[in-house]
Amino acid sequence: MRVLAAMSGGVDSAVAAARAVEAGHDVTGVHLALSRSPESDRTGARGCCTLEDARDARRAADVLDIPFYVWDLAERFEADVIDEFVGSYAQGRTPNPCVRCNERIKFAAVLDRALALGFDAVVTGHHARLDPDGTLRRSVDPAKDQSYVLGTLRPEQLAAARFPLGDSTKAQVRREAAERGLAVADKPDSHDICFISGGDTGGWLRDRLGSRPGPIVDADTGQTLGEHDGAFAFTVGQRRGLGLERPAPDGRPRYVLDISPVTSTVTVGSAEALDVWRLVADRAAWPHEGVVACEAQVRAHGGVVPARAQAHGDELVITLGSPVRGTAPGQAVVLYDGDRVLGAGHILATG
Amino acid sequence: MTYLDHAATTPMRPEALAALTASGAVAGNASSLHASGRRARRVVEESREVLAGLLGARPSDVVFTGGGTESDNLALKGLFWARRAAEPARRRILVSAVEHRAVLDTVAWLSAAQGAEVELLEVDAAGTVHPETLEAALARDPDSVAVVSVMWANSEVGTVQPVAALAGVAHRHGVPFHTDAVQAFGQLPVTVNASGIATGEDAPDAITISAHKVGGPVGVGALVVRRGLVLQPLTHGGGQERDIRSGTLNTAGAAAFAAAATAACEHLPRESARLAALRDDLVRRVQHEVPGAILNGAPLAGPPGAPRRLPGNAHLTFPGCEGDSLLMLLDARGIECSTGSACSAGVARPSHVLLAMGASDEHARSSLRFSLGHTSRAADVDALVEAIGPVVERASRAGVTV
């Protein structure tokens, strides 16, 4: 089989490519250049699109003795991921750019181009399992499982995807990389959003959206407790950095409950008020009809809660057996049966 | 393996490899006073004389460097600094818009950090700088220009510039003229013999050449500098090369450079004709397989004795295909070529050369350079012709934008 290995420069994608080679496939490595600004290429910003990462990927491809190219997807990435990220925040939603990148870049633009160029499949270093029948499952390493960020992919996107690492723990992957002589064996994991160097999402958004001041309002009393510079700097469920001088009357911490971009109002209240029992999502990947008992996960490294999901037309309504906190429109909700992904959608509304 | 990327680097010639290993095996610093030093010195000086002879220059005009990029840096920075020191009003630098990055990045730095005012000379659709364009830029304020630099032949599309005419224009305004002849040397008669580099009005004042483009090793080059032309050095520490360039002399590299250049220039008219015929065959047959393919740059046939295009260069656009895709698919079939300029991340950007020639972004992105050299044979062209049809068909399915 001719396979294209997407190589970020990290240890996971390097070992995934190595396993594809070992499986006897004709493997070509490709590094996706996602950053447009030459500065970010030179400052060595953390993430997955610096020059250093491209070099690490190239070096790994050399060790594996496979052809290696860089594909420039910066324009697509900017339009489909970064602009959408900024636009979502401006509308008070909390997008997950990794989910979006998988939907629009890795398993869309890259996959389409690979298939058009005669490749049979795209290999990535995601920690997830894909059964021959197309069922997506969690990785055997619960701490590194990435099935959540793949959950919204449609069957036709998964059909040509290969995840060779799903049966291994991260520790095993690192050990294998060392045994194979891959220099990225002990390269640290990247955690930040790849296009925001330094991890200051609020500051990054303020640079793009400018200052949009508004009030911080108490949910119970309606009283204005303070001012803020821009609602986009807040996410639902956020506790720190509210900048409120006076403590709540009951002395308990306050959380962001709601963000209204139209009036630039940030509503805060108690932890209990954050509890969400019901989610309405789109049907990004939900082929099922009727009521389906399952477990719901609403963030990449969150736990699951019991849930019942039912499609209503274009929407997916999920009632939860126990509440989730700090859940905002824009996030993905992925529904599981044990380690099996049943499907997913993007949250449209909560409550 | 079908190697069609000789403009990037060409295989080392046996003569050069022999000279490299012979000299490399012998110890000796050419600056030392003892017998080993004298032996090394003799090798360097004989190599210098050989290169000077091939170029029609004096041996003392040849300054060995670490390669073409260093030679371009030395010429532009060295001349700019020296000219401005002598006459502070000389801040302008005129270079063509289609120069190699070794020139463009150098003048960009001089502009950003050294107060230079850089003007890019426009080219026509074939990539040619017209002497009138240079004349107009100089005439605006000739006393403010420090240096003019226009390459002898373009590295991407192979267009040969009217160097003698351009040098004449610069000289009439009293401005030194540098040319990057890295691509031209060994493929065209690059000589300053006609009127002599020391006195000739139409000869460049400084010429950049590089060993690995003529079948020598990487890491050796030269700047041929007219006597009396003052350059400030880039590097300090020993002043081994006329106090313009410091560093222990690369004895083996110089010997291999001279051997390669001798071999390249020895049969130059015949070899150029052979490459041009092979190249014409390549273009004709590729266009037969892919009727939509467009030849960029100057026409294949130039006036007799004065080709407007490097004999080994074929630069083609395949509309509807991404150059990256074509390169990858050809590479998978053992055919090696280039998309032109690549940035340091390895991402292919639309070529600044094609954009300067008026091409659209999409046209520029859909282009490939095939370059022939001393090891090229008819079988190389046959292999490309056999592969190109299916490759273009496949690449066009992936489209131009991803």
Side-chain angles (χ1 to χ4, degrees), chain B residues 113-373:
Chain B
Q114 301 285 303
E117 290 169 23
V118 175
E119 286 174 41
L120 298 182
L121 301 168
E122 284 184 8
V123 297
D124 65 15
T128 310
V129 181
H130 291 274
E132 304 83 70
T133 307
L134 176 60
E135 173 64 40
L138 277 165
R140 269 203 298 283
D141 185 9
D143 296 338
S144 66
V145 180
V147 55
V148 175
S149 179
V150 178
M151 66 207 321
W152 198 298
N154 187 264
S155 48
E156 291 184 35
V157 297
T159 303
V160 179
Q161 303 292 351
V163 170
L166 293 167
V169 171
H171 290 161
R172 275 195 291 285
H173 290 285
V175 177
F177 182 87
H178 164 255
T179 185
D180 177 337
V182 163
Q183 294 292 338
F185 186 49
Q187 286 215 29
L188 300 173
V190 172
T191 162
V192 292
N193 205 14
S195 40
I197 199 165
T199 56
E201 171 158 298
D202 294 336
D205 301 281
I207 300 178
T208 291
I209 53 174
S210 168
H212 77 105
K213 309 284 187 175
V214 296
V218 174
V220 195
L223 184 67
V224 185
V225 188
R226 171 174 64 81
R227 177 176 296 190
L229 190 67
V230 180
L231 283 152
Q232 289 201 8
L234 299 178
T235 52
H236 301 84
Q240 284 85 343
E241 288 287 273
R242 277 174 56 184
D243 278 337
I244 292 175
R245 205 260 185 184
S246 290
T248 301
L249 285 163
N250 181 356
T251 307
F257 189 5
T262 301
C265 295
E266 210 169 21
H267 308 294
L268 197 148
R270 204 178 64 200
E271 177 68 359
S272 287
R274 183 184 78 85
L275 289 183
L278 213 51
R279 186 268 322 273
D280 292 356
D281 190 45
L282 183 155
V283 171
R284 191 176 48 76
R285 290 168 64 194
V286 166
Q287 286 185 321
H288 182 261
E289 295 296 322
V290 186
I294 301 159
L295 181 73
N296 298 304
L300 294 181
R308 292 189 54 207
R309 187 184 192 103
L310 286 174
N313 176 286
H315 195 281
L316 292 154
T317 292
F318 298 89
C321 301
E322 189 91 38
D324 280 358
S325 301
L326 294 168
L327 185 141
M328 189 182 86
L329 293 166
L330 286 170
D331 189 12
R333 288 164 173 77
I335 296 169
E336 301 179 326
C337 63
S338 157
T339 51
S341 57
C343 90
S344 46
V347 178
R349 301 280 177 201
S351 151
H352 70 280
V353 173
L354 289 172
L355 296 181
M357 288 159 57
S360 69
D361 212 90
E362 189 173 320
H363 183 95
R365 278 181 181 276
S366 302
S367 305
L368 286 182
R369 178 187 68 185
F370 304 102
S371 50
L372 306 172

Side-chain angles (χ1 to χ4, degrees), chain A residues 15-351:
Chain A
V15 172
R19 289 185 177 181
V21 172
E22 194 160 279
H25 299 306
D26 178 2
V27 183
T28 295
V30 161
H31 178 76
L32 309 178
L34 302 177
S35 171
R36 256 179 124 165
S37 76
E39 280 77 24
S40 75
D41 276 346
R42 292 193 183 126
T43 51
R46 286 197 60 194
C48 54
C49 44
T50 65
L51 258 189
E52 188 180 352
D53 293 311
R55 272 199 302 273
D56 287 344
R58 182 186 306 274
R59 184 70 193 109
D62 290 345
V63 170
L64 301 177
D65 199 17
I66 58 173
F68 175 85
Y69 306 93
V70 177
W71 282 5
D72 179 8
L73 284 115
E75 268 174 50
R76 276 292 286 267
F77 188 76
E78 186 163 301
D80 285 357
V81 180
I82 299 180
D83 289 352
E84 199 265 353
F85 181 80
V86 174
S88 284
Y89 264 101
Q91 291 169 41
R93 298 199 300 266
T94 306
N96 183 320
C98 299
V99 169
R100 182 85 177 175
C101 178
N102 285 330
E103 292 171 343
R104 298 296 180 93
I105 304 295
K106 293 197 181 111
F107 300 98
V110 174
L111 185 70
D112 291 348
R113 188 175 181 193
L115 296 178
L117 290 174
F119 291 98
D120 304 301
V122 168
V123 165
T124 72
H126 284 108
H127 282 267
R129 282 177 289 171
L130 197 54
D131 291 349
D133 68 358
T135 303
L136 185 66
R137 291 180 187 275
R138 289 191 190 276
S139 159
V140 298
D141 186 341
K144 288 293 166 189
D145 170 54
Q146 290 175 306
S147 57
Y148 174 83
V149 293
L150 301 165
T152 58
L153 297 179
R154 298 184 307 274
E156 62 269 26
Q157 291 177 292
L158 288 172
R162 299 290 184 275
F163 308 130
L165 302 188
D167 288 321
S168 304
T169 64
K170 183 80 179 203
Q172 288 169 332
V173 169
R174 287 199 180 280
R175 205 156 46 237
E176 184 175 329
E179 285 163 9
R180 291 178 182 275
L182 294 165
V184 289
D186 54 2
K187 184 173 173 175
D189 292 354
S190 60
H191 294 291
D192 303 329
I193 296 173
C194 72
F195 52 88
I196 301 178
S197 59
D200 178 14
T201 306
W204 187 90
L205 285 165
R206 190 171 294 112
D207 287 347
R208 273 147 195 83
L209 295 171
S211 180
R212 294 186 190 182
I216 299 177
V217 174
D218 187 290
D220 295 330
T221 65
Q223 197 185 356
T224 297
L225 303 174
E227 297 287 326
H228 64 78
D229 223 18
F232 46 78
F234 300 89
T235 53
V236 171
Q238 177 179 343
R239 174 183 164 190
R240 294 176 194 282
L242 298 184
L244 299 178
E245 287 170 12
R246 286 172 295 169
D250 56 7
R252 295 170 63 192
R254 283 180 291 210
Y255 297 81
V256 174
L257 302 183
D258 184 55
I259 298 162
S260 172
V262 178
T263 57
S264 209
T265 301
V266 173
T267 306
V268 299
S270 66
E272 288 74 23
L274 275 175
D275 287 353
V276 167
W277 292 88
R278 183 171 176 274
L279 302 169
V280 180
D282 65 15
R283 283 182 74 174
W286 190 258
H288 316 283
E289 298 297 335
V291 178
V292 179
C294 53
E295 294 107 43
Q297 182 174 334
V298 293
R299 57 175 64 89
H301 299 289
V304 294
V305 295
R308 294 168 74 77
Q310 185 173 14
H312 293 281
D314 290 342
E315 292 184 343
L316 178 60
V317 176
I318 301 147
T319 52
L320 305 174
S322 58
V324 290
R325 280 188 177 171
T327 301
Q331 287 173 236
V333 53
V334 181
L335 300 165
Y336 292 86
D337 173 17
D339 69 359
R340 196 157 63 95
V341 174
L342 299 177
H346 306 95
I347 298 173
L348 303 170
T350 63

